[in-house]
Amino acid sequence: MSVTTETLTTAPAQPSSPEPVRRGRPVTSTAALIGKKVLGALFVIWAAASITFLIQSLLPGDRATLLLNQQTGQVQERSAEELAPINEQFGFDDPLLVQYVTFLGGLLRGDLGISYTLYQPVTTVIGDQIVPTLVLTFTALAVAWALAIVLLLLTARRAPWVSRIFSGLESAAAALPQYWLGIILLVVFSLWLGLFPVVSGSGTAGLVLPALTLGIPLAGFLAQVMRAEFERTMDEPFVLTARARGMSDGGVRLRHVLRHSLLPGLSLTGWAVGAQFSAAVIAENVFARPGLGRVLVTAVNGRDLPVVCGVVMLVALVYVITNLIVDTAYILVDPRLKEAA
Amino acid sequence: MTTLTDTATPLLTDPAPEGGAAGAASRPLVEVENLNVWFSDAHGRRSHVVHDVSVQIHAGECVAIIGESGSGKSVTARTLIGLTGPNSHVRADTATALGRDIQTLRDTDWRSIRGKDIGFILQDALVSLDPLRTVGAEIGESLRLHGVRDRAERAARVEQLLAEVGVPEPHLVAGQRPDQLSGGLRQRALIASAIANHPSLVVADEPTTALDVTVQAQVLDLLAQRKADGTAILLISHDFSVVGRLADRVLVMQGGWIVESGTAAEVLENPQHPYTRQLLDAVPSGHTKGEYLTEEGRARAAARATTAGTSQRTAPAGVGNPAEPKDEASQVPAVLSARGLTKSYRGPDGRDRTVVRDVSFDVHAGRTLGIVGESGSGKSTTASMALGFIAPDAGTVLLDGAPWSELSLAGRRSRRREVTVVYQDPLSSFDPRWSGERILTDALDAGTAPGVFASSRARRAHRQEQSERAAQLARLVGLTPEHLAKHPLRLSGGQRQRLSIARALAPEPKVVVLDEAVSALDVSVQAQVLDLLTELQETLGTTYLFISHDLGVIHHMSDEILVMKDGVAVEHGDADRVFEQPEHHYTQALLGSLQALSTTVR
């Protein structure tokens, strides 16, 4: 019996196979990999929350006094009797550890505290304004990627003067300050040509100029980091192989070379999303767009700490999620990284 | 150059193939008459890289162009697929491939021909296939571009093609990327993508370079099979054994000219042109053992013999002193000894993989121990342990009878000068901002305490002395002071390797480890460097640990040989004994593929 099983298992081995088909490869499951990344992300959010909490509670000045003065619009010392109910309501008198646990508990339930000036839950304040900002940020990101990719496909590794001119234009675009670019776009396209509304509002037409304001400098950055990789890849032997198969130059650029140049662009994107949030503050002010930018400016001016901290937490969250997506995209673009991870 | 032109002219007409080839009577598939190619650089200067080349290829015939780098052989091949690049100018009296005039084809025409009627194979599929895609996707692309639209049909054809080129379990391999496959499977996949549409002409540019000898033989068998099926092959190679195995006719190119042409047998066995003879002489093997490979090496040895006059080595060098063999190993003390070296690494899957298992050897003073093996055999890991760069898990290395591998890092540092190394790619081991002289003086100072000088005059004197010693070293390896003033980037491959050898000799080491030191060099440059190493051993008594995958080089250089496979030393003994009476079946198989490759040559 044992003899038969043995013959059965050894017999099908191909006589004409001098080499093993698979070399020893790690068997890291994608799920385990993502699990690890998510844990890391949670850690980052917890750290951001803790720092936020420390800033709120350790900043000089009595929070109850600050709160009372905000509400009444006065600046004066308050007596203990005046402050007692506020301390009671917000738990300012509890030991720091208790406050920390309460804060984290609230966070888990999605409670970020109460705004000092608006007297509304912070989540409501942010929630009302977050959608326009997210729409603006991610539209700008999409615009930047589209511009960068089109630029690369059309101009990288062409006649030397073409590459040089467009590479120069990209550097110039990357160096543009957003507030300046925003004002120029506003003056030219809204005031002179009247193509777009002066006050953007939340409509689609109003999205074009703010998205360009944020997208053009980022496109310059993206195209610059991807161009180097793109041009290097154009010299790889596999490009010659692909051409020798009968593929067109455009086909090789789109189907082979572009993918290789995506990685540096993706790394930059992970960082750019955070930067886009702060740039959005400028764009929203220039174009009079609703959004978090204005909430933040108002909150900072009014020393509305819970709102400021809420925005910080939100940015941290968006940042972490983006980087999770970027990491996953990395592996999709270059499957070799999965084994390296 | 003038002699070349003179001798080249009468040979320009390519003799018609001998009878017997399948389509001898019919029109050739490829007819090129007086092909010239120029490249222009960014400043508009033109360089003439291919001169009046004529070639005909019939169906079922393999024509090989052999030459060294820069000979114009690859450019000639690329004119046949119209991919010489945007800065090239091609002109020929006639240039037809498969009945079409390739000088008038537009890009769209070319696209319908490339990959369909003409297949193109490059060397090293690791970089010649897109590393981000599966090989199945790459092969499928050839099919998609030439009309196989249906996905399922493509997948089926891909598997069928992989099976045709001898890939076991094609359905698995189709889903893997080049980096997940062994060199042989990868190259087969590349060939499958080139022949996917059964082209009548295959252009193969160094199709077996960088492959292990056993894999090389398999790939050549595969191409021979296509040839037998009636495919015409244009083979580009620098390797005579590869050409001898596959080609019916051979063209020898040098500096853009064809200097010799004829049937493979004529050219390889009875070369007429001095350059061809020089190239054939330069191929190291057992036959060349103890001889110099280049005219210059022979002349220098003869000159030394005359000046030495009455010294012991009176026999004219070059004959290898067969009557006066090198001292018996037992009488010469071992400079470097390895005992039971074992090293394993934790694989990415968490399991330990033993890359070197229980390897022992002795390197005797003034002699050469060759370690030969295919890629992944553990020979480089063994070298690193001998160098003291990595610590063995078990076993020990003794240097001059004293512990070496067991020393602490600091303890080893003071003795580092005693074992030096030359790698395959010297460029990456040089600081590119340093001149040759600085590289050498740095090596001269290596391991000594940073100099504290009593006066600036003392420092100047020291510098002067070091600089003189650097110049001496350079002379020793055949470099001039002008070479030393340059940065390595501006030196040729051979000059870089000479500089690298000079650096290895600078601290007057007891042993020099040569890790694939000549593997990336053209055959004639390789011959010069090997001659240099032989000469240094003869004059200075240098001891070598010579590591290579090239059996010919190993046999030529070594007194003793260690054959490694999968981390184990399967055979160990006198070089000639190992090559003539191999005991282990792996050595026999290895030498078998070598013989299969070299039967036509010599």
Side-chain angles (χ1 to χ4, degrees):
Chain A
M1 196 57 190
S2 64
V3 178
T4 11
T5 27
E6 230 178 276
T7 18
L8 274 178
T9 45
T10 49
Q14 304 224 357
S16 63
S17 59
E19 308 143 36
V21 173
R22 281 166 179 278
R23 281 196 284 159
R25 274 288 161 191
V27 212
T28 325
S29 77
T30 313
L33 207 67
I34 291 176
K36 244 196 313 194
K37 297 270 181 210
V38 169
L39 272 183
L42 285 177
F43 174 80
V44 171
I45 291 176
W46 168 78
S50 303
I51 292 169
T52 310
F53 170 79
L54 282 176
I55 290 171
Q56 282 199 57
S57 36
L58 299 181
L59 227 54
D62 181 58
R63 275 180 289 174
T65 312
L66 181 67
L67 194 67
L68 207 58
N69 284 341
Q70 290 276 335
Q71 283 168 7
T72 54
Q74 297 164 306
V75 181
Q76 60 185 75
E77 288 296 309
R78 300 287 176 169
S79 65
E81 294 80 45
E82 280 180 296
L83 295 174
I86 294 173
N87 277 334
E88 175 67 32
Q89 187 191 348
F90 288 93
F92 290 154
D93 281 343
D94 294 341
L96 207 57
L97 198 64
V98 174
Q99 289 189 41
Y100 181 56
V101 171
T102 319
F103 169 76
L104 283 186
L107 214 57
L108 283 180
R109 291 192 308 273
D111 175 10
L112 287 165
I114 306 278
S115 161
Y116 292 174
T117 47
L118 301 170
Y119 230 48
Q120 278 179 317
V122 172
T123 40
T124 318
V125 176
I126 292 177
D128 287 346
Q129 301 294 323
I130 188 160
V131 175
T133 301
L134 283 180
V135 167
L136 173 59
T137 311
F138 285 94
T139 311
L141 204 60
V143 166
W145 268 95
L147 280 176
I149 286 177
V150 169
L151 261 175
L152 278 183
L153 289 176
L154 294 181
T155 73
R157 197 30 78 81
R158 298 288 184 189
W161 64 272
V162 173
S163 300
R164 222 173 294 141
I165 287 176
F166 281 93
S167 177
L169 282 179
E170 285 160 17
S171 304
L176 288 179
Q178 282 114 344
Y179 62 87
W180 182 82
L181 178 64
I183 290 169
I184 296 288
L185 288 176
L186 188 71
V187 168
V188 174
F189 291 98
S190 297
L191 296 179
W192 290 0
L193 301 176
L195 292 175
F196 298 102
V198 177
V199 174
S200 288
S202 50
T204 320
L207 185 61
V208 176
L209 291 184
L212 284 176
T213 303
L214 298 186
I216 288 175
L218 183 59
F221 270 116
L222 280 174
Q224 278 284 294
V225 297
M226 286 159 69
R227 178 180 291 269
E229 189 63 20
F230 196 97
E231 298 196 330
R232 200 188 58 73
T233 310
M234 284 295 282
D235 289 332
E236 290 280 326
F238 70 80
V239 169
L240 183 66
T241 312
R243 291 299 313 270
R245 268 181 215 133
M247 207 173 210
S248 64
D249 181 57
V252 171
R253 286 166 176 267
L254 190 67
R255 284 174 169 266
H256 288 273
V257 181
L258 181 62
R259 183 169 173 184
H260 286 256
S261 63
L262 290 180
L263 288 184
L266 279 174
S267 315
L268 189 68
T269 303
W271 160 85
V273 166
Q276 290 292 69
F277 254 81
S278 48
V281 174
I282 295 164
E284 282 165 4
N285 272 298
V286 170
F287 294 98
R289 247 183 87 81
L292 270 187
R294 313 188 86 198
V295 172
L296 191 60
V297 171
T298 323
V300 168
N301 285 337
R303 299 192 67 186
D304 194 346
L305 269 179
V307 172
V308 173
C309 291
V311 173
V312 169
M313 288 290 303
L314 181 81
V315 173
L317 185 71
V318 170
Y319 199 76
V320 159
I321 292 176
T322 317
N323 277 289
L324 267 181
I325 296 170
V326 165
D327 282 351
T328 317
Y330 252 81
I331 291 171
L332 289 178
V333 171
D334 190 345
R336 289 173 299 179
L337 294 172
K338 188 177 161 191
E339 277 110 34
Chain B
M1 207 53 203
T2 44
T3 47
L4 271 183
T5 334
D6 293 340
T7 42
T9 325
L11 289 162
L12 282 176
T13 35
D14 190 24
E18 304 292 309
S26 63
R27 262 195 94 190
L29 280 180
V30 174
E31 263 188 299
V32 174
E33 207 65 54
N34 292 331
L35 172 75
N36 284 279
V37 183
W38 294 263
F39 281 124
S40 47
D41 65 10
H43 309 287
R45 279 191 297 261
R46 275 188 170 199
S47 51
H48 198 168
V49 291
V50 173
H51 298 260
D52 295 339
V53 164
S54 303
V55 59
Q56 295 186 351
I57 310 171
H58 291 79
E61 184 192 29
C62 172
V63 173
I65 302 182
I66 193 160
E68 299 188 278
S69 41
S71 63
K73 58 188 195 301
S74 286
V75 180
T76 306
R78 280 174 204 180
T79 53
L80 289 185
I81 51 165
L83 286 176
T84 41
N87 300 320
S88 62
H89 310 270
V90 179
R91 195 163 307 142
D93 292 349
T94 20
T96 57
L98 309 142
R100 303 183 71 164
D101 183 355
I102 59 177
Q103 291 189 89
T104 60
L105 288 178
R106 287 170 310 163
D107 195 53
T108 42
D109 303 325
W110 268 122
R111 267 152 46 198
S112 63
I113 295 175
R114 291 181 198 137
K116 186 162 189 294
D117 302 319
I118 307 179
F120 184 64
I121 305 167
L122 268 172
Q123 71 169 5
D124 194 2
L126 188 60
V127 288
S128 300
L129 289 172
D130 191 334
L132 301 185
R133 309 171 83 199
T134 63
V135 297
E138 291 281 273
I139 300 167
E141 192 171 85
S142 297
L143 298 167
R144 185 181 59 80
L145 289 167
H146 298 287
V148 186
R149 292 264 159 238
D150 181 55
R151 225 171 241 271
E153 189 191 339
R154 274 211 301 271
R157 289 272 297 274
V158 165
E159 278 187 31
Q160 190 191 330
L161 277 161
L162 282 170
E164 256 176 60
V165 295
V167 168
E169 304 185 71
H171 57 287
L172 279 181
V173 171
Q176 290 187 300
R177 295 186 311 274
D179 66 301
Q180 293 173 306
L181 296 170
S182 67
L185 287 179
R186 217 188 274 155
Q187 198 69 11
R188 282 161 201 263
L190 180 64
I191 293 175
S193 89
I195 62 168
N197 299 295
H198 299 105
S200 34
L201 171 68
V202 169
V203 179
D205 191 350
E206 303 274 9
T208 60
T209 309
L211 296 180
D212 284 327
V213 56
T214 46
V215 183
Q216 218 172 58
Q218 291 160 15
V219 168
L220 287 176
D221 278 342
L222 189 60
L223 289 174
Q225 200 187 320
R226 304 300 313 174
K227 192 177 92 168
D229 293 346
T231 307
I233 297 178
L234 177 64
L235 175 70
I236 309 297
S237 183
H238 70 281
D239 188 332
F240 282 97
S241 54
V242 167
V243 169
R245 179 88 184 273
L246 195 62
D248 301 301
R249 285 181 305 123
V250 176
L251 311 175
V252 183
M253 271 187 98
Q254 184 196 16
W257 298 88
I258 290 185
V259 296
E260 178 156 4
S261 66
T263 64
E266 280 166 19
V267 174
L268 298 179
E269 279 158 28
N270 189 18
Q272 297 302 310
H273 194 276
Y275 177 70
T276 317
R277 279 203 294 270
Q278 182 199 325
L279 277 184
L280 279 164
D281 280 351
V283 179
S285 69
H287 302 278
T288 60
K289 199 171 174 60
E291 292 173 27
Y292 283 92
L293 297 165
T294 61
E295 207 55 63
E296 198 207 343
R298 285 188 282 269
R300 286 167 64 92
R304 275 200 309 282
T306 352
T307 43
T310 52
S311 83
Q312 292 169 303
R313 289 186 184 271
T314 42
V319 298
N321 311 335
E324 183 201 4
K326 293 184 184 176
D327 303 320
E328 280 304 307
S330 51
Q331 292 161 3
V332 185
V335 180
L336 187 77
S337 305
R339 290 288 167 270
L341 289 185
T342 299
K343 182 78 193 171
S344 41
Y345 286 110
R346 174 68 46 89
D349 52 357
R351 274 180 303 187
D352 281 344
R353 294 176 56 200
T354 307
V355 289
V356 175
R357 191 191 299 272
D358 195 20
V359 169
S360 304
F361 57 80
D362 287 310
V363 192
H364 299 280
R367 296 168 60 90
T368 303
L369 172 72
I371 301 185
V372 68
E374 300 190 278
S375 42
S377 61
K379 55 189 193 300
S380 282
T381 309
T382 308
S384 296
M385 285 191 277
L387 282 159
F389 288 159
I390 56 176
D393 294 340
T396 176
V397 182
L398 300 173
L399 183 60
D400 244 358
W404 170 243
S405 61
E406 288 154 13
L407 290 178
S408 67
L409 265 182
R412 240 192 328 261
R413 199 173 302 141
S414 63
R415 297 190 68 194
R416 274 261 189 253
R417 344 177 16 105
E418 295 173 25
V419 192
T420 57
V421 64
V422 179
Y423 288 114
Q424 174 170 357
D425 174 22
L427 197 57
S428 59
S429 66
F430 292 142
D431 185 329
R433 287 184 188 79
W434 287 10
S435 68
E437 178 173 340
R438 176 133 187 233
I439 288 167
L440 290 187
T441 49
D442 176 66
L444 285 166
D445 286 331
T448 57
V452 179
F453 297 100
S455 64
S456 59
R457 183 190 290 170
R459 185 185 298 122
R460 265 203 305 277
H462 175 77
R463 284 225 189 108
Q464 183 63 33
E465 190 194 318
Q466 295 296 58
S467 150
E468 271 162 26
R469 285 182 63 193
Q472 264 171 23
L473 277 168
R475 253 197 315 282
L476 200 61
V477 298
L479 292 176
T480 64
E482 289 81 66
H483 291 132
L484 279 196
K486 287 186 183 173
H487 291 256
L489 206 62
R490 320 222 36 182
L491 297 174
S492 72
Q495 288 162 351
R496 279 177 206 156
Q497 205 55 289
R498 282 170 192 270
L499 183 62
S500 191
I501 291 168
R503 179 176 62 177
L505 293 174
E508 294 170 12
K510 295 204 167 81
V511 185
V512 180
V513 177
L514 300 150
D515 191 351
E516 299 279 7
V518 296
S519 303
L521 302 174
D522 268 330
V523 61
S524 62
V525 181
Q526 170 180 292
Q528 289 163 15
V529 173
L530 289 178
D531 276 3
L532 171 66
L533 292 171
T534 312
E535 186 184 320
L536 290 170
Q537 187 164 53
E538 213 169 90
T539 52
L540 304 177
T542 326
T543 309
Y544 297 133
L545 179 59
F546 198 102
I547 289 151
S548 179
H549 71 284
D550 187 319
L551 295 159
V553 171
I554 280 284
H555 194 182
H556 173 77
M557 290 300 289
S558 311
D559 300 303
E560 264 184 88
I561 289 178
L562 188 76
V563 183
M564 287 190 73
K565 174 168 171 53
D566 299 334
V568 181
V570 294
E571 187 145 0
H572 184 188
D574 177 73
D576 286 328
R577 202 279 296 154
V578 170
F579 270 84
E580 277 149 30
Q581 290 142 2
E583 279 159 11
H584 195 274
H585 59 85
Y586 173 71
T587 319
Q588 287 159 5
L590 207 58
L591 293 174
S593 10
L594 179 70
Q595 261 144 27
L597 283 171
S598 58
T599 36
T600 350
V601 191
R602 290 174 203 280

